[in-house]
Amino acid sequence: MKTPLVCRRKGPLRGSFAVPGDKSISHRALLFGALATSPSRVTGLLEAEDVHSTWKAVEALGARVSRDGAAVVVEPPAALVEPADVIDCGNSGTSLRLLCGVLAAVPGLSVLTGDASLRRRPVRRVLDPLRRMGADLSARDGDRLPPVVVKGARLRGATHVLPVASAQVKSALLLAGLFAEGETVVEEPAPSRDHTERMLAGRGVALRADGPRVAVRPGRPAGGEVDVPGDISSAAFFLCAAAGLEGSRVTALGMGVNPTRTGLLDVLRAMGARVTLANGRESAGEPRADVTVEGGALAGTEIAGPLVPRLIDELPVLMVLATQARGRTVIRDAKELRVKESDRLATMGELLHRAGARIELFDDGCAIEGPTPLSGVAVETKLDHRIAMSMAVAQLFTRGEAVALDDVGCVRTSFPGFFELLDRLCGGER
Ligand code: S3P
């Protein structure tokens, strides 16, 4: 059943907000907790559908996951067990791809599937390198698409040189490496988010990271405490809206500022926005801070090369913001956007064009000429949470026109309270 929503709000945005837990780190806290030698206690876990997919999956593999007040406790089994049923990863690419690496070593048969969006997303990128470690996996449509069938096998370490920077693929291979004989090495063309490396190394796994090259030796992580920082990819919608709306000032409290994730802040600064960090601290190997963004005149910028993996999930909302900046914004080297929850280049390109933006699409990016006021549009969200939230931000850049979203159910995958928070900040502290 679809949940339509008509957005008709007005900026500026003002106020501070606690950022929901980081999705990438939440998945890893549950999954690595299930592989650990002792229980883990997780606070700040993101409570959203994608993370619940990983939660259900680790239970199916024998872990016990329970709530203890505001914390979630993961009790690992002595060894992971063959799941009794198909594992449904819902909309979550991270669940499915990371699980491929783990299940490759779990005795028995496992099947991974997902919703219509996930079943259109490529898996060969994990299957091929895992096979080089001796794994036995196959998938639909000539090994291209989920469902994925995995038969547990004896794994051996290998050296992988990835053609694209992908934290999901890198993590799947490092996880398989925990169960393999010998060393597993993964080299990326540019560093992607390093939450897996930080969490595994922080829990005693023999892992060495050296720029875009990571090496891991077999072993199980210890359990422990994880306090999940706020997700910059969720805060991004408010930070970008504030940057583009004169008179705005918002503060994202406790936001993760791991340098492999903060490309957004670099871009906002390059566009001329005022970005300040306060109260910097570190917990469980991940830095966090309270991040304030103030609105003002923006200029176009260039986003390409190693910056791209550092802000890949923020590009849809940055495309929206670019329509409000003076001059030309060029995005390159972002072909990966085409294989996210939807083809985000095509989807955002078409929507922004229909909303009156001057946008030219390339195979690996786009060029946007601004500033242009946007007009109201009807949006098909295509099971893609970041499209829904980006277009809710786009509505703030119209002259009071409505943006009609056909289905906002997808927002529950990462940010169930998104619209309520947007209402609060739009009506907030003048
Ligand atoms: C993620 C990695 C990225 C990102 C996704 C989460 C992760 O995907 O887009 O939302 O948690 O490892 P890729 O690894 O495909 O780049």
Side-chain angles (χ1 to χ4, degrees):
M1 249 237 316
K2 290 193 174 180
T3 314
L5 186 76
V6 176
C7 300
R8 197 193 289 271
R9 295 181 181 79
K10 246 172 80 69
L13 272 69
R14 294 189 70 84
S16 52
F17 59 101
V19 187
D22 188 278
K23 183 149 76 77
S24 294
I25 298 174
S26 295
H27 283 300
R28 287 159 173 80
L30 293 177
L31 187 55
F32 303 175
L35 306 175
T37 48
S38 56
S40 302
R41 197 180 160 80
V42 188
T43 47
L45 187 87
L46 173 66
E47 294 281 357
E49 282 174 5
D50 274 12
V51 175
H52 288 153
S53 294
T54 293
W55 181 318
K56 280 180 278 158
V58 299
E59 285 180 332
L61 297 174
R64 261 181 58 107
V65 187
S66 56
R67 294 180 194 278
D68 179 15
V72 169
V73 175
V74 186
E75 293 167 80
L80 297 180
V81 298
E82 179 183 49
D85 200 353
V86 169
I87 294 179
D88 185 355
C89 298
N91 192 250
S92 176
T94 305
S95 309
L96 187 133
R97 300 217 178 90
L98 267 57
L99 281 165
C100 285
V102 171
L103 293 173
V106 173
L109 179 98
S110 315
V111 182
L112 295 163
T113 191
D115 70 4
S117 157
L118 187 53
R119 280 182 281 109
R120 284 192 293 268
R121 299 182 61 189
V123 291
R124 192 191 283 284
R125 50 180 56 203
V126 270
L127 265 54
D128 281 349
L130 282 172
R131 281 184 180 141
R132 296 186 48 238
M133 300 174 74
D136 182 349
L137 304 97
S138 43
R140 181 171 71 92
D141 194 26
D143 285 340
R144 262 182 8 96
L145 302 171
V148 180
V149 176
V150 192
K151 288 191 196 134
R154 273 177 73 99
L155 304 181
R156 54 184 180 274
T159 293
H160 306 280
V161 180
L162 304 186
V164 290
S166 163
Q168 291 177 357
V169 176
K170 172 178 64 178
S171 301
L173 299 172
L174 294 175
L175 289 170
L178 296 181
F179 301 96
E181 208 179 288
E183 192 179 51
T184 299
V185 179
V186 185
E187 263 187 67
E188 294 185 284
S192 63
R193 63 192 68 192
D194 65 357
H195 307 303
T196 295
E197 295 90 309
R198 286 175 186 245
M199 203 181 283
L200 289 179
R203 287 159 167 243
V205 167
L207 181 144
R208 272 181 300 112
D210 186 9
R213 184 179 187 280
V214 190
V216 73
R217 292 202 158 271
R220 285 172 73 174
E225 307 261 328
V226 187
D227 186 25
V228 179
D231 197 330
I232 186 172
S233 300
S234 295
F237 302 102
F238 307 102
L239 301 183
C240 287
L245 289 162
E246 194 73 52
S248 295
R249 185 177 199 275
V250 299
T251 301
L253 301 169
M255 189 180 91
V257 289
N258 175 322
T260 61
R261 294 287 298 282
T262 48
L264 171 76
L265 303 184
D266 298 349
V267 168
L268 290 178
R269 286 196 181 104
M271 294 174 89
R274 240 179 87 87
V275 180
T276 46
L277 270 64
N279 201 12
R281 56 218 188 266
E282 186 163 319
S283 117
E286 292 280 351
R288 70 181 75 188
D290 301 338
V291 178
T292 300
V293 171
E294 287 168 69
L298 300 177
T301 189
E302 195 180 314
I303 302 172
L307 180 55
V308 171
R310 297 179 53 235
L311 46 59
I312 188 73
D313 292 339
E314 290 67 81
L315 284 172
V317 71
L318 275 171
M319 288 169 73
V320 171
L321 187 61
T323 67
Q324 304 307 303
R326 181 158 305 281
R328 194 172 163 85
T329 295
V330 179
I331 299 173
R332 284 287 193 185
D333 306 319
K335 204 169 171 182
E336 277 296 295
L337 282 183
R338 295 198 179 274
V339 292
K340 296 297 179 186
E341 286 81 332
S342 71
D343 176 342
R344 288 181 174 160
L345 267 180
T347 317
M348 288 306 297
E350 198 225 310
L351 289 170
L352 290 176
H353 172 73
R354 282 206 278 119
R358 283 181 285 158
I359 177 164
E360 182 190 349
L361 275 193
F362 315 127
D363 188 38
D364 69 339
C366 63
I368 295 168
E369 218 36 87
T372 38
L374 299 178
S375 48
V377 276
V379 174
E380 252 189 78
T381 59
K382 300 190 175 168
L383 292 176
D384 188 336
H385 55 138
R386 299 205 200 278
I387 298 296
M389 293 186 276
S390 296
M391 291 310 293
V393 170
Q395 188 274 325
L396 297 167
F397 299 124
T398 69
R399 298 188 177 115
E401 291 171 41
V403 164
L405 306 171
D406 72 328
D407 186 12
V408 294
C410 50
V411 168
R412 289 197 296 267
T413 61
S414 68
F415 201 160
F418 171 78
F419 291 104
E420 290 76 7
L421 181 54
L422 190 55
D423 279 340
R424 171 159 83 74
L425 296 175
C426 284
E429 303 162 19
R430 306 275 142 186

